[in-house]
C-alpha cells in the first residue's frame, strides 16, 4: 500500500509536485529560464508541467483562483494518478507535494489520486515482487495540511482499497464464511464490533430470503452485523448501512447465460464491501457517530436443492414472496437485512447493492442509481457527496405504479417486475421491508470495471466507501 506521509521539511532532493496559481508562475522559486518555460506551457493550456533533471522529476500543477468544485477536485486526483504512472515507469519510489495555494485540499486530492491509482492485487501471482510498482510513498509538505488530515486520508484510501481487495477475491477464497471473517478482521483493525450469525441462527431468525438464495449452495450463508459507536455520537438513533453480499451470482436455476453475464459475478458482494469499507473509514477516523453495518452473504447457485421458480418463500417479517426468477436474488437477501434494521429504529438506512442490469442500462457505469423514502434534502446531500468524491449518483422516482409490478396473485409479492425500469421495481420491492427513512443505491454500473480508468484500477472499484464517508462526515459536521 502507498503511504501518505506528513512532511515537516521540504525534502529538497526528492522528485516533487508543486501546486501553484496559474497567474503566479513568476513567484515560483525557479530560475528565469524555467519560469518562462512554465509560462509557455501554460499558454499551451498544459494542466501538468514537468521540469526534469536526470531521474529527479519536478512537476508543476497550475490551479485556478476559484472555489474548488467537484470536477476540479477530480482533475487533481487524475493528475496525481498520471504522475504516478510516470514515476512507476521510471522505477521511482517517492515524491513530495509542495503547495503554493492557500488551501490544503489541493495537495490531499493529488495524494488521493496517487494512492488510489497505485493499488495492485497481486496475491495470486507466483512472483509478486516482479510485478510490484516501485512507488510507495507520497509526502505532503503543505502548511495548510494538518497531520490529522493526512491520517484521515490514509484511512479513507485504505478502506477503499480494502473494499477493492474483497471484491477482487474470487469465490474460491471469499465464501460467505470467509467474507464474515474478513469483516471481523476489519473490525479488529479499525475498532468496531462485529457479530456474525451462522446458518443455525439465520434459521432461528427465519430469514427466508437469505436461506432461499442459499438453498442451491454447498456453502452456508452468513449474516454479519457491525457496529461503531463513538463515545459522544451526534446522532441519537443510528445510521444503518446495508450491503448486498452475494459472493458469487450464477443466477441459480434461472442460470445466467454464459458467456458474458456471469463472468464478473464475484463482484456481486460489492455493496457489502462498500459497507465494510465505510465502517472501517468511519471507525478508524473516529467520526462522532453511531453507525451499524449489515451484510447478508451467500453465493447464488443452482445446486440440487436450489429454490425453484414459482416457489413461495417467507421473509423474516412474514411477507411471502413468489420467486419467479432465481437471478433476482439480491432483493431477497436484502429484504431480511432491511427487516433486521427495523429494530434499531434508524435515523436513516442506506443500502448498497449490485442489484440490477437495468441500472446499468439506464445510466451506464459512471454513476449509481439512487432512490428512496428519505427527505429530498437528504437525497440531495448524498448527490452532493457523490460529486465531491466523484462517485456520482442520480435519483430515480418511486411512483406507486412501479410497486404494482411487484404484486403476485398467489403471494404478497413476487421478485420479478415488468420489462422496463427494473432498477426501480427492484427498489419498490425493497421499500416494502422498510419503515424508516431509507435510500437505496444500485451500484451495479460503477462497482466493477474490466479496464482501468484513471485511479479506478481494473476490477473492484470500491465505489461507495468514499461516498458514504463523505456523506456521513458532512451530515454531522458543525
Ligand atoms: N447481480 C445481478 C445484477 C448485476 C448485473 C450486477 C450486472 C452487476 C452487473 C443481479 O442479481 C441480477 O441478476 N439481476 C437481474 C434481475 C432480473 C432477473 C429481474 C438483472 O438485472 O438482470
Ligand atoms: Mn442475480
Ligand atoms: Zn446478483
Amino acid at each position: 500500500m502507498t503511504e501518505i506521509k506528513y512532511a515537516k521539511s521540504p525534502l529538497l532532493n526528492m522528485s516533487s509536485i508543486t501546486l501553484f496559481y496559474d497567474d503566479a508562475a513568476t513567484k515560483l522559486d525557479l530560475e528565469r529560464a524555467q519560469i518562462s518555460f512554465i509560462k509557455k506551457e501554460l499558454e499551451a493550456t498544459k494542466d501538468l508541467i514537468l521540469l526534469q533533471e536526470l531521474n529527479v522529476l519536478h512537476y508543476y500543477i497550475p490551479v485556478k483562483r476559484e472555489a474548488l468544485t467537484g470536477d476540479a477536485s477530480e482533475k487533481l486526483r487524475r493528475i496525481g494518478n498520471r504522475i504516478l504512472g510516470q514515476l512507476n515507469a521510471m522505477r521511482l519510489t517517492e515524491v513530495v507535494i509542495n503547495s503554493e495555494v492557500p488551501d490544503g485540499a489541493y495537495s490531499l486530492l493529488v495524494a488521493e489520486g496517487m494512492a488510489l491509482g497505485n493499488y495492485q492485487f497481486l496475491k495470486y501471482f507466483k512472483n509478486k515482487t516482479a510485478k510490484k510498482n516501485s512507488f510507495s510513498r507520497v509526502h505532503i509538505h503543505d502548511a495548510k495540511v494538518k497531520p490529522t488530515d493526512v491520517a484521515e486520508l490514509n484511512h479513507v484510501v485504505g478502506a477503499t482499497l480494502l473494499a477493492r481487495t474483497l471484491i477482487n477475491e474470487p469465490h474460491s477464497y471469499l465464501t460467505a464464511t470467509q467474507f464474515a471473517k474478513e469483516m471481523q478482521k476489519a473490525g479488529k483493525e479499525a475498532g468496531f464490533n462485529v457479530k456474525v450469525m451462522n446458518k443455525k441462527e439465520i434459521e432461528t431468525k427465519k430469514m427466508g430470503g437469505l436461506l432461499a438464495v442459499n438453498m442451491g449452495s454447498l456453502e452456508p450463508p452468513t449474516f454479519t452485523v457491525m457496529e461503531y459507536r463513538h463515545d459522544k455520537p451526534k446522532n441519537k438513533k443510528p445510521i444503518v448501512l446495508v450491503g448486498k453480499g452475494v459472493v458469487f451470482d450464477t443466477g441459480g436455476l434461472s442460470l445466467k447465460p454464459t458467456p458474458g453475464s456471469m463472468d464478473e459475478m464475484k463482484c456481486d458482494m460489492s455493496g457489502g464491501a462498500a459497507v465494510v469499507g465505510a465502517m472501517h473509514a468511519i471507525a478508524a477516523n473516529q467520526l462522532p457517530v453511531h453507525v451499524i453495518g449489515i451484510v447478508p452473504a451467500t453465493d447464488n447457485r443452482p445446486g440440487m436443492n436450489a429454490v425453484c421458480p414459482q416457489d413461495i418463500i417467507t421473509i423474516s417479517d412474514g411477507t411471502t414472496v413468489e420467486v419467479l426468477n432465481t437471478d433476482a436474488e439480491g432483493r431477497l437477501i436484502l429484504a431480511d437485512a432491511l427487516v433486521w434494521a427495523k429494530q434499531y429504529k434508524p435515523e436513516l438506512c442506506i443500502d448498497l447493492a449490485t442489484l440490477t442490469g437495468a441500472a446499468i442500462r439506464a445510466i451506464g457505469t459512471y454513476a449509481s442509481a439512487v432512490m428512496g423514502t428519505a427527505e429530498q434534502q437528504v437525497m440531495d446531500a448524498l448527490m452532493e457527496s457523490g460529486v465531491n468524491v466523484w462517485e456520482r449518483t442520480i435519483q430515480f422516482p418511486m411512483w406507486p405504479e412501479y410497486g404494482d409490478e411487484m404484486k403476485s396473485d398467489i403471494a404478497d409479492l413476487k421478485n420479478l417486475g415488468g420489462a422496463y425500469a427494473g432498477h426501480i421495481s427492484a427498489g419498490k420491492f425493497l421499500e416494502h421491508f422498510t419503515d424508516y427513512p431509507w435510500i437505496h443505491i444500485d451500484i451495479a454500473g460503477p462497482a466493477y470495471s474490466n479496464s482501468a480508468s484513471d485511479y479506478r484500477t481494473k476490477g473492484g472499484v470500491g465505489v461507495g466507501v468514499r461516498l458514504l464517508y463523505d456523506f456521513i462526515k458532512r451530515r454531522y459536521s458543525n
Side-chain angles (χ1 to χ4, degrees):
M1 229 186 72
T2 314
E3 189 188 1
I4 307 169
K5 276 193 91 173
Y6 178 79
K8 278 191 204 141
S9 62
L11 304 170
L12 290 174
N13 298 319
M14 197 179 283
S15 289
S16 69
I17 301 170
T18 302
L19 289 145
F20 69 104
Y21 279 134
D22 63 356
D23 59 8
T26 38
K27 289 199 186 135
L28 291 167
D29 185 18
L30 290 172
E31 286 160 27
R32 200 180 285 171
Q34 293 173 314
I35 289 180
S36 65
F37 173 73
I38 288 183
K39 282 187 165 168
K40 267 203 199 112
E41 294 283 271
L42 285 171
E43 275 163 32
T45 68
K46 293 279 175 65
D47 57 2
L48 179 60
I49 301 163
L50 172 60
L51 297 179
Q52 183 165 353
E53 307 166 359
L54 296 173
N55 64 341
V56 184
L57 308 181
H58 296 294
Y59 289 96
Y60 291 83
I61 305 175
V63 300
K64 293 255 175 286
R65 244 176 239 279
E66 338 178 305
L68 193 52
T69 58
D71 343 2
S73 302
E74 176 65 0
K75 251 185 212 149
L76 290 168
R77 289 186 201 99
R78 292 183 185 184
I79 288 174
N81 179 65
R82 258 158 66 200
I83 295 173
L84 169 82
Q86 297 175 12
L87 297 175
N88 272 324
M90 291 186 66
R91 301 301 297 167
L92 295 175
T93 57
E94 54 190 338
V95 76
V96 57
I97 303 178
N98 299 301
S99 179
E100 305 284 325
V101 297
D103 178 350
Y106 293 77
S107 325
L108 291 165
L109 286 161
V110 174
E112 182 180 354
M114 298 187 86
L116 288 171
N118 205 32
Y119 171 78
Q120 294 180 287
F121 184 65
L122 299 176
K123 177 177 168 186
Y124 292 98
F125 287 108
K126 185 175 176 189
N127 191 348
K128 299 173 196 24
T129 32
K131 299 242 175 200
K132 202 169 164 359
N133 289 342
S134 58
F135 189 80
S136 67
R137 214 170 303 117
V138 48
H139 304 265
I140 300 183
H141 176 248
D142 182 339
K144 287 80 60 187
V145 171
K146 298 187 290 291
T148 49
D149 298 332
V150 173
E152 178 182 32
L153 180 59
N154 267 308
H155 289 140
V156 172
V157 168
T160 306
L161 304 188
L162 165 66
R164 284 187 190 173
T165 294
L166 291 171
I167 299 163
N168 289 335
E169 279 289 2
H171 181 240
S172 50
Y173 172 80
L174 201 80
T175 59
T177 304
Q178 188 60 38
F179 192 13
K181 280 188 192 152
E182 302 288 332
M183 292 191 249
Q184 284 172 319
K185 214 195 294 176
K188 275 203 190 98
E189 270 172 31
F192 57 85
N193 286 324
V194 183
K195 199 187 161 298
V196 179
M197 284 188 233
N198 61 22
K199 186 173 179 181
K200 266 216 179 94
E201 292 165 278
I202 292 166
E203 281 166 349
T204 313
K205 305 289 194 257
K206 298 191 159 52
M207 295 189 181
L210 180 54
L211 290 165
V213 175
N214 183 252
M215 276 169 66
S217 173
L218 292 168
E219 291 285 336
T222 56
F223 189 93
T224 301
V225 181
M226 298 167 270
E227 180 164 15
Y228 167 73
R229 192 172 185 282
H230 188 270
D231 294 340
K232 290 187 182 119
K234 292 202 176 173
N235 51 336
K236 288 208 181 71
K237 298 188 291 177
I239 295 244
V240 176
L241 306 175
V242 173
K244 172 176 172 181
V246 172
V247 287
F248 195 84
D249 184 11
T250 68
L253 282 176
S254 313
L255 196 65
K256 285 183 185 290
T258 44
S261 58
M262 199 192 294
D263 300 5
E264 295 177 343
M265 279 304 130
K266 71 176 181 184
C267 82
D268 214 15
M269 37 56 74
S270 295
V275 170
V276 190
M279 293 296 300
H280 195 287
I282 290 165
N285 287 318
Q286 296 186 34
L287 291 190
V289 292
H290 183 197
V291 189
I292 289 168
I294 304 177
V295 179
T298 177
D299 51 337
N300 180 26
R301 289 214 187 218
M304 294 302 281
N305 197 37
V307 66
C308 294
Q310 297 191 305
D311 278 357
I312 296 174
I313 64 167
T314 307
I315 305 298
S316 43
D317 69 342
T319 301
T320 55
V321 178
E322 182 189 13
V323 177
L324 286 178
N325 188 320
T326 64
D327 198 10
E329 84 296 342
R331 62 198 75 184
L332 302 178
I333 74 169
L334 289 171
D336 282 321
L338 293 170
V339 169
W340 188 258
K342 287 184 186 180
Q343 65 187 283
Y344 305 109
K345 308 214 174 322
E347 171 182 294
L348 174 66
C349 173
I350 305 178
D351 80 75
L352 297 96
T354 45
L355 202 63
T356 65
I360 314 177
R361 288 189 289 277
I363 39 165
T365 59
Y366 308 119
S368 297
V370 164
M371 58 207 89
T373 58
E375 284 174 31
Q376 191 54 43
Q377 66 184 55
V378 178
M379 310 290 288
D380 291 345
L382 182 74
M383 177 112 81
E384 227 173 85
S385 287
V387 172
N388 287 345
V389 303
W390 218 248
E391 292 185 356
R392 289 162 294 177
T393 61
I394 192 78
Q395 190 179 343
F396 286 86
M398 292 229 87
W399 298 319
E401 287 87 341
Y402 298 104
D404 295 341
E405 294 181 12
M406 305 311 292
K407 287 179 183 156
S408 161
D409 40 40
I410 188 170
D412 299 324
L413 293 174
K414 55 190 167 82
N415 77 334
L416 189 61
Y420 309 122
H423 54 309
I424 307 182
S425 48
K428 291 303 281 186
F429 180 94
L430 297 180
E431 183 188 356
H432 176 92
F433 301 95
T434 66
D435 66 357
Y436 39 69
W438 158 77
I439 303 179
H440 164 56
I441 311 181
D442 192 332
I443 59 170
Y448 192 87
S449 160
N450 47 26
S451 62
S453 66
D454 297 296
Y455 58 86
R456 289 172 182 81
T457 46
K458 182 173 168 164
V461 172
V463 76
V465 177
R466 293 183 303 124
L467 177 69
L468 290 171
Y469 183 80
D470 185 81
F471 172 77
I472 291 174
K473 182 184 169 184
R474 289 187 321 119
R475 183 176 168 91
Y476 298 107
S477 63
N478 60 63

